């Protein structure tokens, strides 16, 4: 699918989400039966992996060396599915939440309080419950929320318009409460080891369509997105034993570090912590202002690409800034939190 075609599909899905539609499918109806059969086979193979499903608890404070009496820590919350929760690794410091908290503390030179409400297996319709947990205490609204969701929507055949509607509503509620929001869009499911052709091609197509539509919905609500294609993308395909965990589905510690490196610059930029010179679009890296649907389509095709709202709506719709941020190394494993919040 070309970038322009993907942009048109993404616009249709996002419009359906905004206006109550729900009938736009991710793949052709003729492929649905085959897709379901292949998904069930892949699920059974994944279920036979060696991971025990237990999640390391990484909640707590990071960056103890920056603790200043009287200064409140930055509040970071992760929402979403098993990827956000860190399923597949055994140490708290290897989870994406811990890696992001540690990296953010180093950049901000400030302690960071991490809370993770993500649920393995969650689809986008669980975000309403997760957001309610996050905003239950008005005195503890997060400074920044990171959402990783979408893979289960594809494998469970949630209509993409419904998926985007739930995600957009979550971003809107968090932004209204005063939190910055960064969404890691649906990863490329076409590189999961147990998945065979033709599902591999269908899964890649469905993943990228949903990622592009998610981008439009998130940007329109004032959030930022980062393409997570690398999470299960080309680097994973080239190094599956290194970047996938023992169940061949969830990332390994190195895989989560790769994802954290992709998301951290955008988290920092959302909080005004990234160097000013890197906020300007770089023509040599093909960055710039584009109609949001086109920016979304380009981002879905290239992992690590950020899209954020940039200009008022014009004749071609809302515009966005597309950034290909340089990745900076984060620790292979974050240190344990210095304090567990009560």
């Amino acid at each position: 699918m070309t970038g322009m075609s993907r942009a048109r599909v993404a616009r249709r899905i996002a419009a359906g989400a905004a206006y109550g539609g729900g009938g736009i499918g991710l793949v052709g109806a003729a492929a649905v039966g085959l897709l379901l059969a292949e998904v069930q086979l892949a699920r059974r193979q994944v279920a036979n992996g060696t991971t025990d499903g237990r999640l390391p608890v990484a909640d707590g404070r990071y960056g103890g060396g920056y603790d200043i009496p009287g200064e409140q820590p930055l509040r970071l919350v992760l929402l979403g599915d098993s990827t956000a929760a860190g399923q597949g690794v055994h140490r708290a410091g290897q989870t994406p939440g811990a890696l992001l908290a540690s990296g953010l503390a180093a950049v901000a030179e400030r302690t960071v309080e991490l809370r993770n409400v993500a649920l393995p297996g969650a689809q986008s319709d669980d975000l309403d419950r997760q957001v309610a947990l996050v905003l239950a205490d008005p005195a503890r609204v997060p400074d920044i929320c990171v959402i990783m969701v979408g893979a289960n929507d594809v494998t469970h055949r949630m209509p993409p318009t419904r998926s985007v509607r739930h995600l957009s509503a979550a971003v809107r509620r968090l932004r209204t409460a005063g939190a910055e929001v960064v969404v890691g869009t649906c990863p490329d499911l076409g590189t999961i080891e147990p998945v065979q052709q033709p599902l591999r091609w269908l899964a890649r197509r469905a993943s990228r369509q949903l990622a592009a539509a998610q981008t439009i919905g998130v940007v329109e609500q004032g959030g930022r997105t980062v393409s997570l294609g690398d999470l299960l993308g080309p680097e994973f395909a080239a190094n599956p034993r290194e970047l996938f965990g023992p169940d061949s589905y969830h990332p390994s510690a190195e895989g989560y570090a790769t994802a954290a490196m992709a998301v951290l610059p955008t988290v920092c930029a959302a909080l005004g912590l990234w160097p000013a010179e890197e906020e300007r679009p770089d023509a040599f890296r093909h960055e710039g202002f584009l109609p949001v649907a086109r920016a979304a389509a380009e981002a879905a095709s290239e992992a690590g690409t950020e899209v954020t709202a940039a200009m008022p709506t014009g004749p071609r719709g809302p515009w966005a800034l597309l950034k290909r941020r340089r990745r900076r190394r984060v620790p292979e494993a974050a240190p344990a939190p210095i304090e567990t919040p009560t």
Side-chain angles (χ1 to χ4, degrees):
M1 179 179 289
T2 66
M4 292 303 293
S5 297
R6 188 175 296 114
R8 285 194 295 270
V9 172
R11 275 197 302 266
R12 290 171 57 209
I13 294 172
Y19 296 108
I24 302 175
L26 286 171
V27 294
V32 169
L34 177 60
L35 179 60
L36 285 175
E38 291 282 352
V39 164
Q40 292 302 321
L41 176 61
R43 282 181 185 163
R44 285 196 295 270
Q45 289 179 292
V46 167
N48 290 330
T50 60
T51 183
D52 56 16
R54 288 181 294 182
L55 296 173
V57 177
D59 290 19
R61 289 192 180 186
Y62 293 76
Y66 305 115
D67 194 12
I68 299 175
E71 182 181 62
Q72 291 297 316
L74 288 170
R75 295 191 179 102
L76 166 66
V77 175
L78 263 70
L79 307 88
D81 55 23
S82 57
T83 300
Q87 187 168 359
V89 295
H90 300 289
R91 294 169 53 196
Q94 296 171 331
T95 63
L99 292 165
L100 286 171
S102 180
L104 178 58
V107 173
E109 297 186 344
R110 186 173 167 186
T111 57
V112 174
E113 182 178 285
L114 170 66
R115 183 184 181 193
N116 197 322
V117 299
L119 178 68
Q123 300 175 54
S124 293
D125 56 5
D126 190 56
L127 290 175
D128 182 65
R129 180 192 64 82
Q130 295 182 28
V131 170
L133 289 174
V134 172
L135 300 181
D137 184 353
R140 295 180 61 82
V141 173
D143 294 287
I144 183 86
C145 293
V146 175
I147 304 174
M148 298 180 182
V149 75
N152 295 315
D153 296 10
V154 174
T155 60
H156 288 76
R157 295 181 60 229
M158 177 183 286
T161 48
R162 182 183 170 201
S163 174
V164 173
R165 190 180 305 127
H166 284 295
L167 177 59
S168 298
V171 174
R172 181 169 58 252
R173 289 175 63 192
L174 293 168
R175 293 290 292 129
T176 300
E180 297 291 340
V181 181
V182 174
V183 175
T185 55
C186 183
D188 182 357
L189 299 180
T191 54
I192 298 173
E193 279 196 313
V195 177
Q196 303 300 319
Q197 295 289 14
L199 176 61
R200 188 178 295 271
W201 177 84
L202 294 171
R204 173 169 288 114
R205 179 185 176 195
S207 302
R208 290 186 177 184
Q209 285 181 3
L210 180 57
Q214 286 177 320
T215 295
I216 295 174
V218 169
V219 169
E220 288 181 344
Q221 298 302 328
R224 301 181 184 222
T225 63
V226 179
S227 169
L228 287 187
D230 266 2
L231 190 60
L232 298 172
E235 294 181 20
F236 278 55
N239 303 286
R241 294 290 173 246
E242 179 182 355
L243 294 174
F244 278 120
D247 63 2
S248 298
Y249 184 88
H250 294 100
S252 64
E254 184 64 26
Y256 279 127
T258 300
M261 282 188 286
V263 174
L264 179 60
T266 300
V267 167
C268 294
L271 293 170
L273 300 171
W274 212 237
E277 61 272 16
E278 292 197 17
E279 293 306 289
R280 293 187 291 270
D282 186 340
F284 289 102
R285 288 191 282 169
H286 304 287
E287 298 178 345
F289 300 98
L290 297 169
V292 65
R294 184 177 164 194
E298 288 201 18
S301 301
E302 182 177 343
T305 303
E306 175 192 317
V307 180
T308 186
M311 300 173 69
T313 299
R316 299 176 65 184
W319 285 65
L321 173 61
L322 183 144
K323 291 280 295 178
R324 296 178 170 90
R325 294 190 182 277
R326 297 182 181 91
R327 298 184 187 180
R328 297 187 176 185
R329 185 67 185 175
V330 297
E332 291 185 3
I338 59 174
E339 176 184 332
T340 301
T342 57

